[in-house]
Amino acid sequence: MIGLGTDLETATCSRAGCRSDAIWRLDWRNPRIHTGDRFKTWLACDLHVDYLREFLAARDFPLTVAPLSAETDQA
């Protein structure tokens, strides 16, 4: 996951056990417990981006997937 307000020196995939560099960000929320303006971010490597996307989509969590280098305005 992205650090708490700190700059990242390296970004690692959020998939359990994976230590690969992340190149994707998945911004998601659980509508049962998160308000519409609160999102969580997982990071993913190329190998696990589809797995993590499908995991979240199967739970009907709203999500967006974008390259990690893309700036988003979620502050």
Side-chain angles (χ1 to χ4, degrees), residues 22-27 41-44 49 53 63-72 74:
I23 57 174
W24 296 99
R25 64 181 290 145
L26 294 89
D27 297 309
T41 299
W42 283 354
L43 304 178
V49 66
R53 178 189 300 127
L63 71 119
T64 58
V65 179
L68 183 56
S69 61
E71 292 294 324
T72 60
Q74 297 212 6

Side-chain angles (χ1 to χ4, degrees), residues 5 7-9 11 15 17-18 23 26-27 30-31 33 38 40-41 43-44 49 53 56 58 60-62 71-72:
D7 291 332
L8 293 175
E9 291 181 21
R15 173 74 164 112
C18 184
I23 57 174
L26 294 89
D27 297 309
N30 179 341
I33 60 174
R38 180 165 180 239
K40 292 190 169 201
T41 299
L43 304 178
V49 66
R53 178 189 300 127
L56 296 167
D60 292 325
F61 292 169
E71 292 294 324
T72 60

Side-chain angles (χ1 to χ4, degrees), residues 16-63:
C18 184
R19 297 289 117 216
S20 297
D21 290 340
I23 57 174
W24 296 99
R25 64 181 290 145
L26 294 89
D27 297 309
W28 63 276
R29 69 180 181 89
N30 179 341
R32 287 178 228 120
I33 60 174
H34 299 133
T35 60
D37 62 341
R38 180 165 180 239
F39 281 82
K40 292 190 169 201
T41 299
W42 283 354
L43 304 178
C45 64
D46 266 339
L47 183 64
H48 293 118
V49 66
D50 290 334
Y51 173 85
L52 294 172
R53 178 189 300 127
E54 290 171 13
F55 178 89
L56 296 167
R59 289 150 180 80
D60 292 325
F61 292 169
L63 71 119

